[in-house]
Each structure stands twice: as C-alpha cells, then as structure tokens.
Amino acid sequence: MDLEAQFERAVEAEQRVEPRDWMPDGYRRTLVRQIAQHAHSEIIGMQPEGNWISRAPSLRRKAILLAKVQDEAGHGLYLYAATETLGADRDDLTGMLISGRQKYSSIFNYPTLSYADVGVIGWLVDGAAICNQVPLCRTSYGPYARAMIRICKEESFHQRQGYELLMTMMSGTDAQRAMVQESVDRWWWPSLMMFGPPDAESSNTEQSMKWRIKRNTNDELRQKFVDMSVPQAQKLGVTLPDPELKWNAERGHHDFGQPDWEEFWQVVGGNGPTNAQRVAHRRKAHEDGEWVRAAAAAHASRRVAREGVA
Amino acid sequence: MSFDNAYESLIDHEDAHWAFGTGFTEALAGVDRDVPDVDRADLAAYCLMLGDDALVLSHRLAEWCSRAPELEEDVALANIALDLLGQARLLLTRAGEVEGEGRDEDALAFLRDERDFRNVHLAEIECGPFAGGDFATTVARLLVFSSWKIAQYSRLRGSADPVLAAVAAKGLKELAYHRDHAAQWVVRLGDGTDESHERMRAGIERVWPFLDELYAPHPVETRLAGVAVDPAELRSEVDGVLDAVLSAAGLTRPADVPAARVNGRAGRDGVHTESFGYLLAEMQHLHRSLPGAKW
C-alpha cells in the first residue's frame, strides 16, 4: 500500500498525525496556511482590544483586559510553534503577514469604538471563535490539536469575562445599556461572518473535511453559534439586530437572516474599515524591533564564543 | 489531557486557568488592617506616593502591548505591567481606607487631578514606544525603577503599617523578576551591536537626570518614621546594582546631573512633567464621562 493510501486510512480511523509522520504535501501546506492564519489572527487581534487598555474605566477592568491581550500574544506563540513542527519558520510567516500575503480573521478589521466592544468581542467574537475552534481540539494534526485545547480553555474564560462585563454594564446606567446595544448592533453580523462564506461558496471545505483538518461545515457552525447566542442575548437584555431571527420548532434550530456577504468579501479583499491600519501597526512593531532582535542575536552568539554557553 | 477537556471547560465555572489573575482582595487575606498611630493624612499621602508610582509605570509599560520587538516581550512587559497594577490597587485601596472619606481605588485613580498625583517623574516620563524613547530607554527606566523599588520595599517589609509591610513583601518577589528582566536586556543591548550599544547608552542618559528625585526625602516620609522608608538611605544600594549592570553591559555611568525642580518641587509634591497631563486625560476620560456607571 502506498504512503498516501496509508495516511488517508490512518486519518479516517481518527489516528493523530505527528510531526515525523509522512504526510501529503497538500496536507502540510493546508495546515501551515490554516495554523499561520490562526496565529496571525491572535496577534492582529491584540490591536482592537489593546486599543482600550489605556482607557479602561476601572483598575479591575484594566487588569482583565491587559491579561486577555497578553493571553492572545501567548496563543500566537503556541500556534507559531505548531507551524514550526511542520517545517515553517516564524520569521517567514511574520513576513507573509506584514506584506499582506497571508490573511488573518477578518473580524479584526472592524474598529473598536466603545468600551462595550471589549465585552461584545469577548461574548460574540470569542464565542464564535470557540465554536470554530472546539472541533479543532480533535483535528488530525497532533500539535495543532493540543495547542487548541489550551487555547479553547482560555478563550472560554475570555468569553465569560466579556459576558460578565456586559451584564455589569446592563445593570448600570441608561447610557451604559445604550452603549451595549449599540455595540451588539455593530458586531452581530461580522460575528456571523466569522464562520466563513456559505458552504456552497466555500472552496476549502471538502478536502479539509476529508483530511479531518476541519470537522464541521461553515453553515453547521454558524447555526450552532446562533442557537447558543439567542438565549444569552435574552438573559442580557439586548436585541440581536436580525428581524428574521426566530425559533423554528420543526428544525429544532433558529432561523436567521444572511449577513451582507458583499461587505464580507470587501473586508476579506483588504478593503475593510481597518485592514491597512492593522497590518501597518504590526509591520511598524516588527520593523521598529529589528535592531533589538539583531542585538539579542549578536549578544547570544558572542556569549557562546566567549563562554561556550548556548 | 483528554480531547474533550475544551468542551468541559465551556461549562465549568472555576477561574483557575486565568493566566495572571484579576482579583486582588485575596492577595492580602489575613493581613491585619489596623492603622498605626500616626497622622492619617500623612499615611494616606504616603500610600498614594507608592501607589501612584506603580500605577503610572504600569500604564506606561502597557503602552507597549502589541508594539514590542518580539511576541515574547509583549508577554513579558504586559506581565510586569500587571504586577505593578496589582501593587497599585492594593496601595490605593489602603490610601482610601486610611483617609476614611469613602474613596476606593477607582475614585483615587480616575477622579484625582494631576496636582494630586504623587508619583516620581521617573514613572511618568515617556520612554517609548511613542515619542521620547525606544525599547532601550524603556529597559533603562525599568532597571532603575525596579532596583530602587527593591531597596525601598525590602525596608518597607518592616513598616509599622501591616498593610504596607505585606504589600512590600509580596511586591518584592515580583520586582526581583522585573529587575532581572531589565538587567538582562541592558546587558544584551549594551553588548549587542553598535546600534544597540548606542541606543542603550542614550537610554541610560535619558533616565539618569530623574534618579536624584528617587532619593529626596519628602516631609511626609520624614514625619512617618517607622512607617515610611527614608529614601536617602537607598542611594548606595541602588548605585551598587546599577554600577554592576552597567559594567556588565560595557556602559559607563553617566555624570549625575539631576533634573531641576520647579520652585523646589517635583512629583511627590504634585508637580509633574508636561506629558503627564496627557496620560491622565487618556486614562481618566471614559471613567469621568459616565458618572455613576458600573464597571
């Protein structure tokens, strides 16, 4: 039996693929692309929330937000490490990100315009990310699956923190309640877009499902997210901005409207509200840090030469 | 670890996996909160001095978040900022408690004006990532600040105020890591390339004029003998640490040319640098915009 047939049989039997195992080039490429995009998303995702650290309205909220953004940097680190087990290089991947050759989650191309956005990102955006990511804890590639277990735990904690902020704000003043509703109105549709285009238009789904890199279709996950969010919105006391949203007893799921897919493709295509700003910010941090990384490398090699320590 | 753990964690409700903690009331659990027999206004002012040092430097360090030279450094600087924020919260809470006028940590952080902040200038000056410095300036400031704080807190452990003593004992462990982190970078950059050496030299020069203020006793500190630490005592210990690090980094100690005061006054008297008003405007804006809000 040839290697490829053996590989496919192992994956079909839900066996984990490890870094030293033989794997098809396409599988390796798809994984590097997907994990790198996920890593980039964590790193770019530091910006919209980081935008509010200096203005956090209480010291407790400042600590929570700073710790959350720090966790995102940590997630980026684990994921870049997972790509390195596939032979990729973090510097190359960073180069792809800051030159616009690799993408990151489009949700981070929307601006954060009020402190309620910090809570709504936790509740809806992290909630959508969890729906997308929990199945990846069982993805076929071992290092990715293991990184995802840790990430999902922290993401679920972030989601609860975000929801708790919104509950607190809803119990505050009228101005705070209005702030939460306005934020939900802005983030609901972009959150639904996080599951990707409808299955009929998704180019990567079929092969990725076969390789067990992906385990559910975009539309399945989107439905799960809507069903999960509706009771949470009710408990919170906000209205989700979709007139078509209603329970369908026959299906046992909520019916809901479609996001503006034209806007989705515009944002994916680079023309979102903050695409250029996010990439420029990352590029500037990377370029401004070049001399520091060069100095650290020079010092390390000089130390090895001088003291024989690695 | 089972693959189903992530699903389980969606429904579990324990907060143990929160990376660096957000609570603080437990930090001093069991510590006696009696107020020693000293002037309460003086003690509250002293708590503000220490609390403002930590709060303001935490704010400055957090400005690096998403702007650091390496992802590892984004994590490290955020971690240090979080430690200092934790210290600030304990100290401001104590200040409010001693003052006895019902002000909590947030009232003190967000509703005081510039003139009522009592941090040293070293904590507030701009040292990067924005104008006013770069990563070398940031680690230069962090080295000086944490070396000074270690000298101060190690004496404060014996304070007659049990809360200050407990904050100092807890903070010392954190500060030791901050100083180690900063010292390693000063050495790396001092020794690294010509460019990094030059930037490290400039960074040290930038912060050096602010050292003198760290050792100048304020009348509040003088009156609180037994509770407060006399800053004049700290100079030789801090000098020793700085000299050792600078020498390992191949850098020369700059001449001591202290920044001039304004009519004899500086940070501890509520007279700050120009950039500080902007820091407070940004930090306090949202809290002040929504009076009566719950966060």
Side-chain angles (χ1 to χ4, degrees):
Chain A
M1 192 165 53
D2 69 9
L3 287 167
E4 182 135 14
Q6 222 169 5
F7 172 86
E8 279 177 10
R9 190 184 285 189
V11 165
E12 212 165 305
E14 300 289 338
Q15 285 173 21
R16 211 59 64 217
V17 179
E18 294 299 336
R20 287 157 191 269
D21 295 344
W22 184 89
M23 61 188 86
D25 286 344
Y27 176 87
R28 186 185 296 273
R29 267 198 310 275
T30 302
L31 269 173
V32 169
R33 193 195 68 223
Q34 181 175 331
I35 303 174
Q37 284 186 6
H38 188 173
H40 299 333
S41 302
E42 297 282 356
I43 299 309
I44 295 289
M46 294 169 72
Q47 293 177 40
E49 290 182 274
N51 182 37
W52 284 93
I53 293 171
S54 64
R55 293 175 289 172
S58 76
L59 297 184
R60 175 169 172 268
R61 291 295 170 197
K62 193 173 171 116
I64 290 171
L65 182 57
L66 184 53
K68 180 186 174 182
V69 178
Q70 181 192 40
D71 279 351
E72 287 167 1
H75 296 172
L77 281 171
Y78 319 148
L79 290 164
Y80 284 125
T83 65
E84 289 181 340
T85 66
L86 291 160
D89 176 84
R90 184 165 128 195
D91 281 347
D92 293 344
L93 296 176
T94 301
M96 303 274 263
L97 170 64
I98 63 181
S99 62
R101 280 174 294 156
Q102 274 185 348
K103 295 203 185 306
Y104 52 87
S105 177
S106 269
I107 192 77
F108 300 121
N109 289 318
Y110 287 89
T112 52
L113 303 176
S114 81
Y115 206 78
D117 288 12
V118 170
V120 170
I121 286 178
W123 172 39
L124 294 179
V125 174
D126 293 340
I130 290 166
C131 288
N132 268 328
Q133 291 169 5
V134 163
L136 295 175
C137 298
R138 293 160 56 231
T139 195
S140 58
Y141 188 58
Y144 190 25
R146 289 187 286 273
M148 288 316 303
I149 289 174
R150 182 161 173 192
I151 290 172
C152 282
K153 281 183 156 217
E154 291 179 359
E155 292 292 355
S156 70
F157 192 74
H158 297 165
Q159 192 197 16
R160 287 211 302 277
Q161 288 278 1
Y163 194 69
E164 189 263 332
L165 168 61
L166 298 178
M167 286 295 264
T168 306
M169 290 182 73
M170 292 300 285
S171 74
T173 62
D174 287 346
Q176 286 185 290
R177 278 184 286 276
M179 195 184 263
V180 173
Q181 181 64 56
E182 188 275 335
S183 175
V184 169
D185 289 346
R186 263 186 297 114
W187 288 96
W188 174 250
W189 294 112
S191 300
L192 290 191
M193 294 177 194
M194 285 177 69
F195 300 94
D199 294 345
E201 295 164 37
S202 174
S203 53
N204 298 320
T205 295
E206 201 185 331
Q207 179 66 68
S208 288
M209 297 271 287
K210 190 165 163 240
W211 276 335
R212 303 289 197 273
I213 291 174
K214 207 169 160 170
R215 314 215 45 134
N216 302 88
T217 72
N218 296 350
D219 287 335
E220 282 167 14
L221 291 169
R222 193 167 8 249
Q223 179 72 60
K224 190 176 165 186
F225 174 72
V226 171
D227 290 340
M228 188 178 91
S229 300
V230 168
Q232 292 172 340
Q234 278 163 355
K235 190 171 169 219
L236 195 56
V238 295
T239 309
L240 297 174
D242 178 358
E244 294 175 48
L245 184 66
K246 62 170 187 298
W247 177 250
N248 180 329
E250 205 174 302
R251 289 202 306 125
H253 291 291
H254 292 87
D255 292 337
F256 56 96
Q258 287 294 308
D260 179 349
W261 291 113
E262 200 176 310
E263 177 179 303
F264 172 80
W265 289 115
Q266 268 203 328
V267 179
V268 169
N271 196 27
T274 70
N275 297 52
Q277 175 191 329
R278 299 284 186 246
V279 173
H281 180 119
R282 186 75 219 125
R283 188 188 307 121
K284 180 168 173 20
H286 187 72
E287 288 172 2
D288 286 355
E290 179 56 42
W291 69 269
V292 177
R293 296 189 298 276
H299 171 70
S301 56
R302 201 166 306 140
R303 247 187 108 202
V304 172
R306 212 164 38 212
E307 302 163 27
V309 287
Chain B
M1 183 180 273
S2 99
F3 287 109
D4 290 330
N5 272 4
Y7 295 94
E8 287 158 18
S9 80
L10 295 181
I11 49 169
D12 84 36
H13 286 279
E14 47 100 9
D15 292 347
H17 45 256
W18 186 233
F20 291 98
T22 55
F24 80 107
T25 41
E26 308 83 6
L28 297 185
V31 170
D32 174 13
R33 301 199 74 93
D34 288 352
V35 178
D37 187 21
V38 292
D39 184 280
R40 278 190 171 242
D42 279 348
L43 180 55
Y46 187 58
C47 292
L48 286 180
M49 291 175 181
L50 302 180
D52 290 345
D53 286 345
L55 177 65
V56 172
L57 182 57
S58 168
H59 186 97
R60 283 293 187 218
L61 288 171
E63 290 175 342
W64 277 98
C65 198
S66 80
R67 297 182 175 89
E70 291 266 29
L71 293 178
E72 287 83 348
E73 210 47 38
D74 272 310
V75 174
L77 292 175
N79 197 10
I80 295 170
L82 277 167
D83 284 344
L84 292 172
L85 182 54
Q87 294 174 16
R89 295 178 66 190
L90 297 168
L91 290 161
L92 294 186
T93 299
R94 181 59 167 173
E97 183 177 74
V98 171
E99 181 190 58
E101 287 175 20
R103 291 201 286 182
D104 63 8
E105 55 171 2
D106 288 331
L108 289 167
F110 296 101
L111 299 175
R112 270 182 304 152
D113 290 330
E114 185 174 337
R115 209 65 71 240
D116 299 319
F117 272 80
R118 291 182 169 257
N119 54 284
V120 293
H121 288 179
L122 182 71
E124 77 195 39
I125 56 168
E126 290 181 289
C127 292
F130 307 122
D134 56 9
F135 186 70
T137 322
T138 288
V139 297
R141 183 221 332 246
L142 186 60
L143 174 70
V144 172
F145 183 89
S146 51
S147 302
W148 168 63
K149 276 288 159 191
I150 286 172
Q152 186 187 55
Y153 277 25
S154 60
R155 287 162 179 78
L156 199 61
R157 273 182 305 186
S159 171
D161 180 345
V163 174
L164 285 181
V167 171
K170 177 181 180 292
L172 269 174
K173 294 178 201 129
E174 297 164 347
L175 290 162
Y177 159 73
H178 306 171
R179 182 176 70 182
D180 182 59
H181 188 74
Q184 288 196 38
W185 271 116
V186 170
V187 170
R188 254 181 230 130
L189 298 179
D191 180 63
T193 61
D194 289 346
E195 181 183 3
S196 71
H197 180 87
E198 173 50 29
R199 283 175 180 265
M200 198 61 246
R201 188 200 59 72
I204 292 285
E205 294 224 332
R206 157 95 171 116
V207 302
W208 216 255
F210 299 94
L211 259 67
D212 199 61
E213 186 190 0
L214 308 181
Y215 311 119
H218 186 274
V220 161
E221 292 167 311
T222 311
R223 288 197 296 268
L224 286 174
V227 169
V229 173
D230 175 4
E233 273 180 29
L234 311 178
R235 190 189 285 264
S236 64
E237 181 180 329
V238 178
D239 271 353
V241 172
L242 297 180
D243 285 344
V245 176
L246 290 179
S247 147
L251 294 160
T252 323
R253 184 189 171 92
D256 286 318
V257 184
R261 293 173 164 248
V262 177
N263 301 322
R265 297 186 300 165
R268 292 283 190 240
D269 312 292
V271 175
H272 293 278
T273 60
E274 283 187 350
S275 72
F276 190 55
Y278 290 89
L279 183 154
L280 289 186
E282 189 172 338
M283 185 175 91
Q284 297 180 335
H285 150 259
L286 176 57
H287 184 97
R288 290 187 181 218
S289 303
L290 291 170
K294 280 208 240 171
W295 302 104

